[in-house]
Amino acid sequence: MARNKIALIGSGMIGGTLAHLAGLKELGDIVLFDIADGIPQGKGLDIAQSSPVEGFNANLTGASDYSAIEGADVCIVTAGVARKPGMSRDDLLGINLKVMEQVGAGIKKYAPNAFVICITNPLDAMVWALQKFSGLPKNMVVGMAGVLDSARFRLFLSQEFNVSVQDVTAFVLGGHGDTMVPLARYSTIGGIPLTDLVKMGWVTKERLEEIIQRTRDGGAEIVGLLKTGSAYYAPAASAIEMAESFLKDKKRVLPCAAHLTGQYGVKDMYVGVPTIIGAGGVERIIEVEFNKAEQEAFEKSVASVAGLCEACVAIAPSLK
Ligand SMILES: NC(=O)C1=CN([C@@H]2O[C@H](COP(=O)(O)OP(=O)(O)OC[C@H]3O[C@@H](n4cnc5c(N)ncnc54)[C@H](O)[C@@H]3O)[C@@H](O)[C@H]2O)C=CC1
Ligand SMILES: O=C([O-])CC(=O)C(=O)O
């Protein structure tokens, strides 16, 4: 059986890490693409030279021409710019929207059957625009954010409770911005909801709220430390988990920015919700019940994403 083909559109910090992880996991042959000629070729060659040491088999190539992504099974999009300290993700909208238009055209022409995972920020608006620019089926275009935000929440919880990260589950839904919605009721330690752990005296409500706020600020905390850009190891690992679920038809239950057609009362927008990802792309959207406070927080987050989509339409009226 021929190997899968994985196209990485954008070969910066996340793109390079994606290529390394996809190689180590033998997910398929990898094409790195970037407009900065030399970078994708150099990173591809460097990672390929690690393969005899690590013992993985994958062809890695770099390109600055979209024809190289022809027939890709998966495209992971990180093309664009990242924020620096003092900026919000939303400040990237104007410049990255133009990048999504080019990327969408390239995918439409050369990889119309691919499963597309968008990472570029501001995530929910960019994946929405990318789907429209590419014209690919909505279930085959998805945004990565919830897996990352939930991983951050899981790490902070495992540290707080001194338990293995493997025994912590978490759901962070809504938009990938300051209004994201970490759900304590649907996040667990060994299957026990955090709200029960508060009742059991394992953690106070106030301390849990601090951990939730640190999760919301997780991206900014790293931007503040790195100063030159944003997180890339955990974002890459998160997108690889989604790609693997598609390629191996694992049907993982993962929070992703998915196209909504009325679920959660939202229409024609991408927002973070629990999904099932398998060979059919986003195969199912899981609608959990919200209590009043959760509903209000989710609606606030959706309103913020809607504002960003409107800002996109103001720049690119064809998106309407
Ligand atoms: N969704 C999420 O959870 C996360 C999203 N991000 C976002 O991911 C994006 C990428 O982050 P990094 O890899 O750290 O940035 P980076 O700056 O290291 O890499 C971006 C790459 O895109 C390339 N590029 C720019 N315009 C292009 C175009 N028109 N066509 C093709 N390539 C183009 C650049 O040459 C550069 O190599 C940023 O927008 C960042 O905000 C970052 C972390 C998490
Ligand atoms: O914070 C940023 O700009 C990058 C990002 O989305 C994250 O790490 O969550």
Side-chain angles (χ1 to χ4, degrees), residues 72-86:
D73 300 288
V74 171
C75 295
I76 308 181
V77 178
T78 59
V81 294
R83 66 171 158 161
K84 300 224 163 59

Side-chain angles (χ1 to χ4, degrees), residues 70-72 75 106-116 134-137 140:
E70 184 153 23
C75 295
I107 292 175
K108 182 180 192 162
K109 184 162 179 193
Y110 291 107
N113 299 317
F115 181 56
V116 178
S134 70
L136 263 63
M140 293 296 276

Side-chain angles (χ1 to χ4, degrees), residues 8 61 131 171:
L8 305 175
T61 47
Q131 187 281 322
F171 266 139

Side-chain angles (χ1 to χ4, degrees), residues 121-176:
N121 273 321
L123 189 269
D124 307 87
M126 291 303 102
V127 64
W128 176 82
L130 182 64
Q131 187 281 322
K132 289 193 184 260
F133 286 135
S134 70
L136 263 63
K138 293 172 175 118
N139 61 308
M140 293 296 276
V141 181
V142 69
M144 188 294 292
V147 176
L148 170 65
D149 297 326
S150 302
R152 288 177 173 150
F153 196 20
R154 288 169 65 196
L155 173 72
F156 301 150
L157 289 167
S158 79
Q159 290 170 337
E160 178 69 17
F161 293 109
N162 196 22
V163 298
S164 164
V165 288
Q166 288 176 289
D167 295 320
V168 186
T169 67
F171 266 139
V172 179
L173 307 184
H176 181 58

Side-chain angles (χ1 to χ4, degrees), residues 19-309:
H20 195 196
L21 287 175
L24 288 170
K25 287 176 176 267
E26 288 195 328
L27 292 187
D29 290 334
I30 299 151
V31 177
L32 289 118
F33 173 93
D34 204 289
I35 47 164
D37 196 31
I39 300 285
Q41 293 87 347
K43 288 195 180 184
L45 186 58
D46 185 11
I47 295 168
Q49 289 170 357
S50 78
S51 68
V53 182
E54 297 285 357
F56 66 83
N57 294 289
N59 293 328
L60 284 117
T61 47
S64 303
D65 187 315
Y66 273 103
S67 60
I69 73 164
E70 184 153 23
D73 300 288
V74 171
C75 295
I76 308 181
V77 178
T78 59
V81 294
R83 66 171 158 161
K84 300 224 163 59
M87 295 171 79
S88 89
R89 296 178 181 94
D90 301 353
D91 295 336
L92 308 171
L93 185 139
I95 183 158
N96 284 349
L97 183 64
K98 290 196 183 73
V99 176
M100 291 305 102
E101 190 164 7
Q102 295 167 15
V103 174
I107 292 175
K108 182 180 192 162
K109 184 162 179 193
Y110 291 107
N113 299 317
F115 181 56
V116 178
I117 302 170
C118 180
I119 302 185
T120 301
N121 273 321
L123 189 269
D124 307 87
M126 291 303 102
V127 64
W128 176 82
L130 182 64
Q131 187 281 322
K132 289 193 184 260
F133 286 135
S134 70
L136 263 63
K138 293 172 175 118
N139 61 308
M140 293 296 276
V141 181
V142 69
M144 188 294 292
V147 176
L148 170 65
D149 297 326
S150 302
R152 288 177 173 150
F153 196 20
R154 288 169 65 196
L155 173 72
F156 301 150
L157 289 167
S158 79
Q159 290 170 337
E160 178 69 17
F161 293 109
N162 196 22
V163 298
S164 164
V165 288
Q166 288 176 289
D167 295 320
V168 186
T169 67
F171 266 139
V172 179
L173 307 184
H176 181 58
D178 299 340
T179 60
M180 71 178 73
V181 188
L183 286 174
R185 229 157 45 91
Y186 289 107
S187 302
T188 72
I189 307 289
I192 307 163
L194 296 180
T195 38
D196 287 5
L197 289 162
V198 173
K199 285 185 211 148
M200 288 156 64
W202 275 44
V203 66
T204 62
K205 246 181 139 173
E206 293 69 33
R207 177 68 190 133
L208 184 56
E209 198 41 56
E210 280 172 14
I211 296 168
I212 287 174
Q213 193 53 43
R214 187 175 178 199
T215 301
R216 286 199 196 98
D217 296 337
E221 183 176 0
I222 291 185
V223 170
L225 290 166
L226 294 180
K227 295 181 185 71
T228 52
S230 50
Y232 49 98
Y233 292 112
S238 303
I240 289 290
E241 186 172 54
M242 294 164 66
E244 195 171 13
S245 191
F246 168 77
L247 289 168
K248 299 184 179 170
D249 194 24
K250 288 177 85 166
K251 304 197 190 296
R252 298 285 314 277
V253 177
L254 300 171
C256 301
H259 183 264
L260 300 180
T261 54
Q263 300 92 336
Y264 293 96
V266 180
K267 273 204 183 118
D268 192 29
M269 273 174 65
Y270 276 80
V271 185
V273 291
T275 67
I276 297 175
I277 295 193
V282 176
E283 296 185 346
R284 187 166 184 172
I285 287 166
I286 303 172
E287 276 189 273
V288 295
E289 247 177 53
F290 288 150
N291 64 26
K292 192 163 172 282
E294 291 160 351
Q295 182 67 32
E296 279 171 12
F298 187 79
E299 280 172 14
K300 189 173 160 208
S301 194
V302 169
S304 143
V305 175
L308 294 176
C309 293

